[in-house]
Amino acid sequence: MARVVVDVMLKPDILDPQGKAVHGALPRLGFDGISEVRQGKRFELEVDGELTEERLAQIRSLAETVLSNPVIEDYAVHVQTA
Amino acid sequence: MARVVVDVMLKPDILDPQGKAVHGALPRLGFDGISEVRQGKRFELEVDGELTEERLAQIRSLAETVLSNPVIEDYAVHVQTA
């Protein structure tokens, strides 16, 4: 049993309205000194059995084709060691 | 200039319909061997100036009050070293 985390963020040159909205609300809420907020997605996958290289390659392909839209998003795959 | 990442995930005992939907789609798409998927949010904050302990405490309070709903979500704050 292993846990793999896939982080999906909009590419840096793609406008992020959610992050902008959060950023715009901060001064009103008394938080300053933050120059940018970007919001993305985090997926935690529980993988059965051993995490082989092959299995990890399959998860990378999953991240690229299902969990993210590679036209506008970047993804990162991390293995989480408990 | 420092980057702080805030990960927000539903608490383990809260039903996660988004993650369930992704998980349900996997066998159809040819991915197997994944026993659970949970979907959460990832915020990347660009902090002006030096990241002092005080500033970090402010960001933790931001994570708890603005970026997450502590009734149903857990958050984790990481400083990202570039």
Side-chain angles (χ1 to χ4, degrees):
Chain A
M1 193 75 157
R3 172 175 291 178
V4 179
V5 175
V6 180
D7 290 322
V8 176
M9 299 298 293
L10 285 168
K11 287 181 193 284
D13 47 336
I14 304 283
L15 208 69
D16 172 9
Q18 280 186 303
K20 253 200 159 45
V22 173
H23 183 238
L26 296 184
R28 247 192 309 122
L29 297 165
F31 297 97
D32 49 10
I34 292 174
S35 60
E36 200 188 356
V37 178
R38 310 240 345 139
Q39 183 175 346
K41 285 174 282 187
R42 175 187 166 93
F43 296 91
E44 291 182 358
L45 313 178
E46 301 293 336
V47 181
D48 292 334
E50 215 194 328
L51 194 65
T52 56
E53 228 2 275
E54 190 196 341
R55 177 57 52 93
L56 209 54
Q58 202 189 31
I59 289 173
R60 275 200 204 92
S61 134
L62 172 71
E64 187 162 345
T65 57
V66 181
L67 303 181
S68 73
N69 175 355
V71 177
I72 56 166
E73 291 171 326
D74 288 326
Y75 67 90
V77 176
H78 316 272
V79 178
Q80 206 169 65
T81 43
Chain B
M1 194 76 157
R3 171 177 290 177
V4 178
V5 174
V6 180
D7 290 322
V8 177
M9 299 298 293
L10 285 168
K11 288 183 193 282
D13 46 338
I14 304 282
L15 207 69
D16 173 9
Q18 281 186 302
K20 255 204 157 45
V22 172
H23 183 238
L26 296 183
R28 249 194 305 122
L29 296 164
F31 297 97
D32 49 11
I34 291 174
S35 60
E36 199 188 358
V37 178
R38 308 233 358 133
Q39 182 175 347
K41 285 174 282 186
R42 175 187 166 94
F43 296 90
E44 292 182 356
L45 313 178
E46 301 293 337
V47 180
D48 293 333
E50 216 194 328
L51 194 66
T52 56
E53 229 359 276
E54 191 196 341
R55 176 59 49 97
L56 208 54
Q58 202 188 30
I59 289 173
R60 275 201 205 93
S61 133
L62 172 71
E64 187 162 346
T65 57
V66 181
L67 303 182
S68 73
N69 175 354
V71 177
I72 56 166
E73 291 170 326
D74 289 326
Y75 67 90
V77 176
H78 316 271
V79 178
Q80 205 169 65
T81 43

